[in-house]
Amino acid sequence: MSEDLQRRIATLEARVDHLYELLGEGAQAARPVAAVPGGEFPPEVVRLALAGRKIQAIKMLREATGLGLAEAKQVVEQIE
């Protein structure tokens, strides 16, 4: 599966989780989302990015994956 497709899936999963929260049904079970080649990170990274809290998302992504600042920033900026 390509990196682009993995990122798109991660974004869609985060949006679905957000909709569940808005409906008062709680978030779906927290599950890691594949979006970094060879690695996974929590859906909270996508939620933070979608909420405009990109610095927090980058920090969390770096902690979860060990990515460098530039790589983590690139991944977070591609989440729309």
Side-chain angles (χ1 to χ4, degrees):
M1 188 178 313
S2 73
E3 289 178 44
D4 181 52
L5 183 56
Q6 289 175 342
R7 278 191 293 275
R8 293 173 71 188
I9 290 170
T11 300
L12 290 171
E13 287 177 342
R15 288 179 177 174
V16 168
D17 287 345
H18 181 68
L19 289 172
Y20 275 105
E21 289 175 14
L22 290 175
L23 293 171
E25 298 180 23
Q28 292 177 328
R31 64 191 181 289
V33 181
V36 178
E40 296 182 338
F41 63 88
E44 183 63 20
V45 171
V46 178
R47 283 192 209 104
L48 286 169
L50 292 174
R53 298 175 59 195
K54 291 188 178 188
I55 292 173
Q56 292 90 342
I58 292 167
K59 181 178 178 182
M60 183 178 284
L61 179 59
R62 291 186 70 203
E63 290 171 358
T65 64
L67 286 175
L69 178 60
E71 293 86 4
K73 183 176 183 271
Q74 182 180 15
V75 171
V76 168
E77 287 180 345
Q78 292 179 3
I79 298 171
E80 297 177 357

